[in-house]
DNA sequence: GCTTAGCACTCTGGCCAGTAGAGTGCTAAA
DNA sequence: TTTAGCACTCTACTGGCCAGAGTGCTAAGC
């Protein structure tokens, strides 16, 4: 829906002003703060028009205008341009805390805090979920008794491990051989296929290996389901400082939504197919608990492949421009960190 | 401070009634619901007496009585007896969800949820913090390039790992030798001492090993500081359902307290020296944000040694008896689960 | 035909007074 | 020592009032 340049500018001013102040925007305020060369009466007429078209509302008769979800959508789609400022983003965020100390888990947690700190909203990160069975290397370490530690190195260079118990004892030598065998097979086949072939080939003899294979296959699922699909939320308490959550019920609803990691995961993954950064505004959001909230979601990559999503959750009255920049910056930063980890491993510098 | 049997009973009735209803307890209500054989006027006199002694207060002149922190303290110390019911606890909680699926991290998270679900408050668990350098076994696995995965098996049988980068390449053979050397040394010395002796002994030659030793020593700290000292909070949102958190400010303060994991850790660890289960009531709590909250803390063990704490956080108006039972039960359950893991490893069944 | 000034109208939010209800403290009697 | 009775106090809720904010509409001006 085209609006005409003048109306567009006024819509933008209303949204900007509302985002900034949190108060419904009166025609007077608009008249004073922005230089449209129009009187408040004219602005009133235009605002009434925009309201009729569904871009603005009225809390009550004698209140100023507030953007609707449709208004925000128009604002973001056509009025927010981020690209022209990308150059100085690096500078602006360079004072931000550094990322990338510990292991994957710590990195995810830090990243969610990072997003939260920069955007002054809640930060959410979904840990890398790599395609099933995309392992570059699998290693076995015999610990004590019949315990074996399985170490998975995924295609994107992340290391995960899982401890299992075997029925029979097996020596390290055999484990090494098996590891080498698996590595070779992994070049052309999935774990599932390897397991199937092994069952057929070995039959009744060498049961230890079929067992080990079974356990490995199982463990690969566990490793996937566990760390790989985990959602990290940072700065949840600080979103509640926004005045729209002064209502206790809304506050609780949002917190419960944050605790329901599974739903969050689905929410973030919705945008995994989309290009670039996606913004979900208020009612566009399929989960009722998140009504009144907006979500800015981006993706991060390892070796060029999208492996996870990350984003910012806040009230619909959110500093979208800033949030989009933060998500954009953080996704590139995280991608770079993960890539560095990967290359350090491959090239062995 | 002795109260006399009659006054004690009345104090107990007031606290019980207040915990149950959340409303200040009027003399009338007390007279009707409990069979003291006394009129409301007499109860009024006694309550006034208890107030003078500091066990009860008054929100305002025409309101019923509410327990003070001192009142709760007396109630818990002398009026709550849990021991006589321990027999059927197992039965009562047997329908509770099972624990102990995944790795240590998952177990801690589950346990915090478990505590929350049973107590209808927030559940908190501090992951096992074992004495510095109490490793039973350290293993090195060469991955790709110059990356080495260090695997720590702690004295209580938990497995943790950390990925490091070396400057020089080192072959698996050498790593194995080094691992065996460390295992022998660990019987009598700490990692710190081993590192120091190694530096002196090796001097300038075999720098790879001094480097590796340094990295291992570093990593042992990281592993400690990371998983080992982590606090898991479950069911935070559900505490907020209690009417005492209807106030938005209190709500936020509590949530912020939950996010400050470090303080929580200190709070829980305060009771690590005490015998059995400890209850902190309202103002006994050193952290201001937790004013108005009580904390029931227990400990859990591995192989008989206390390695961590766990507890329940809720409003001072909390079902203490139930909370104490839940903490008691959960701490024994978690100890058993960890012990089982440990023994499975040692005996190799 | 668009813009503007002016004015009536509407809605909110704060303030105040009034009232019912709850529960105490005190006094005097049993 | 206990109890009945009563005055007193405080809260919470209600309705009325008023100022302030901001709109919508109308009619005049460019």
């Amino acid at each position: 829906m085209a609006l005409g340049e003048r109306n567009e500018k006024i819509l933008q001013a209303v949204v900007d002003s509302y985002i900034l102040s949190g108060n419904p925007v009166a025609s007077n305020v608009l008249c004073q703060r922005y230089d449209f060369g129009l009187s408040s009466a004219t602005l009133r007429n235009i605002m009434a028009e925009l309201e009729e078209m569904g871009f603005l509302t009225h809390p009550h008769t004698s209140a100023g205008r507030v953007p609707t979800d449709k208004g925000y959508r128009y604002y973001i789609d056509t009025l927010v341009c981020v690209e022209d400022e990308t150059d100085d983003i690096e500078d602006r965020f360079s004072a931000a805390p550094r990322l990338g100390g510990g292991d994957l888990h710590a990195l995810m947690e830090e990243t969610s805090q990072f997003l939260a700190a920069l955007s002054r909203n809640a930060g959410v990160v979904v840990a890398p979920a790599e395609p099933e069975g995309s392992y570059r290397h699998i290693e076995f370490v015999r610990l004590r008794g019949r315990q074996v530690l399985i170490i998975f190195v995924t295609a994107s260079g992340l290391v995960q491990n899982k401890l299992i118990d075997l029925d029979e004892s097996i020596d390290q030598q055999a484990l090494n051989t098996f590891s080498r065998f698996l590595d070779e097979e992994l070049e052309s086949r999935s774990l599932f296929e390897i397991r199937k072939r092994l069952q057929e080939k070995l039959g009744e003899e060498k049961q230890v290996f079929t067992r080990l294979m079974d356990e490995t296959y199982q463990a690969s699922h566990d490793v996937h389901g566990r760390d790989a699909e985990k959602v990290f939320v940072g700065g949840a308490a600080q979103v509640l400082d926004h005045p729209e959550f002064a209502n206790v019920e809304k506050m609780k609803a949002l917190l419960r939504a944050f605790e329901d990691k599974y739903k969050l995961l689905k929410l973030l993954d919705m945008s995994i197919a989309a290009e670039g950064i996606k913004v979900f505004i208020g009612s566009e959001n399929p989960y009722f608990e998140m009504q009144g909230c907006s979500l800015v979601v981006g993706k991060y990559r390892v070796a060029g492949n999208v492996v996870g999503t990350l984003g910012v959750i806040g009230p619909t009255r959110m500093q979208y421009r800033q949030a989009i920049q933060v998500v954009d910056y953080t996704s590139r930063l995280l991608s770079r960190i993960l890539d560095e980890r990967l290359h350090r491993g491959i090239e062995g510098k």
Side-chain angles (χ1 to χ4, degrees), chain A:
Chain A
M1 192 179 308
L3 277 183
E5 199 184 339
R6 194 180 67 170
N7 288 11
E8 233 173 43
K9 269 197 178 158
I10 289 169
L11 177 60
Q12 180 169 26
V14 172
V15 178
D16 276 337
S17 176
Y18 183 66
I19 285 177
L20 211 69
S21 72
N23 298 320
V25 184
S27 55
N28 253 322
V29 175
L30 219 53
C31 188
Q32 281 159 33
R33 269 218 265 287
Y34 299 81
D35 191 26
F36 292 117
L38 294 170
S39 75
S40 68
T42 313
L43 291 174
R44 267 206 294 285
N45 287 333
I46 297 171
M47 281 159 94
E49 218 175 297
L50 286 170
E51 180 162 357
E52 201 150 318
M53 289 193 266
F55 294 106
L56 300 175
T57 4
H58 245 156
H60 56 86
T61 3
S62 74
R65 271 9 189 258
V66 169
T68 60
D69 290 350
K70 187 179 169 190
Y72 281 121
R73 169 55 56 204
Y74 194 94
Y75 173 82
I76 289 164
D77 286 349
T78 64
L79 308 174
V80 173
C81 15
V82 187
E83 289 74 14
D84 53 348
E85 312 177 28
T86 38
D87 285 340
D88 48 40
I89 287 182
E90 302 278 335
D91 296 336
R92 282 175 47 209
F93 294 148
S94 61
R98 298 280 83 202
L99 280 178
D103 64 343
L104 182 64
H105 189 93
L107 179 61
M108 295 291 111
E109 202 141 301
E110 274 174 42
T111 307
S112 73
Q113 304 276 359
F114 181 85
L115 282 163
L118 287 186
S119 71
R120 311 198 140 271
N121 281 301
V124 196
V125 184
V126 179
E130 308 191 59
E132 195 82 28
S134 64
Y135 301 107
R136 177 190 301 158
H137 178 56
I138 298 180
E139 173 99 27
F140 303 92
V141 178
R142 186 169 173 274
L143 290 177
R144 304 144 298 143
R146 277 144 204 183
Q147 281 190 318
V148 173
L149 189 73
I150 311 180
I151 299 159
F152 297 91
V153 183
T154 71
S156 51
L158 305 168
V159 179
Q160 285 170 323
N161 67 304
K162 163 107 189 172
L163 193 64
I164 60 157
D165 289 299
L166 284 181
D167 295 338
E168 281 177 72
S169 189
I170 186 166
D171 70 5
Q172 184 64 48
Q173 199 81 46
L175 287 173
N176 289 347
T177 314
F178 192 62
S179 168
R180 269 195 301 276
F181 160 75
L182 271 187
D183 281 0
E184 274 170 35
E185 291 283 308
L186 277 170
E187 305 233 321
S188 51
R189 277 176 255 287
S190 74
L191 265 189
F192 179 76
E193 287 168 331
I194 299 175
R195 172 161 160 260
K196 211 170 131 199
R197 285 168 61 101
L198 204 69
Q199 275 175 340
E200 288 162 5
K201 229 162 79 181
L202 287 183
E204 290 302 303
E205 16 162 27
K206 299 263 192 189
Q207 274 220 352
V208 209
F209 289 106
T210 19
R211 293 304 292 249
L212 185 58
M213 189 63 228
D214 283 351
E215 292 279 2
T216 306
Y217 182 65
Q218 276 284 357
S220 81
H221 279 290
D222 287 356
V223 163
H224 252 276
R226 182 169 37 98
D227 258 349
E229 297 212 335
K230 216 154 212 172
V231 182
F232 298 81
V233 180
Q238 104 182 326
V239 201
L240 304 174
D241 287 338
H242 296 290
E244 20 275 291
F245 299 108
N247 180 326
V248 179
E249 282 314 309
K250 279 192 184 169
M251 212 156 153
K252 279 195 225 164
L254 187 60
L255 285 171
R256 246 184 279 274
F258 283 152
E259 282 203 351
D260 189 349
K261 302 279 167 88
Y262 184 68
K263 271 196 186 170
L264 272 183
L265 180 72
K266 291 187 73 175
L267 196 58
L268 280 149
D269 276 356
M270 283 191 316
S271 71
I272 206 159
E275 264 299 302
I277 291 176
K278 202 155 160 37
V279 182
F280 294 93
I281 301 158
S283 54
E284 296 173 6
N285 193 317
Y287 296 114
F288 182 73
E289 308 87 272
M290 293 264 197
Q291 230 45 279
C293 284
S294 284
L295 189 60
V296 179
V297 199
K299 297 177 286 289
Y300 61 91
R301 296 156 195 277
V302 174
N305 304 312
V306 173
V307 293
T309 49
L310 89 194
V312 162
I313 298 179
T316 31
R317 183 178 84 78
M318 181 199 281
Q319 302 255 23
Y320 289 99
R321 187 170 296 142
Q322 190 198 14
I324 291 170
Q325 283 177 358
V326 168
V327 170
D328 184 46
Y329 177 75
T330 312
S331 68
R332 278 186 289 129
L333 180 62
L334 184 57
S335 301
R336 199 166 63 225
I337 291 170
L338 289 172
D339 267 345
E340 265 169 32
R341 290 189 175 206
L342 175 59
H343 284 113
R344 226 168 38 191
I346 291 172
E347 296 168 11
K349 299 191 232 193

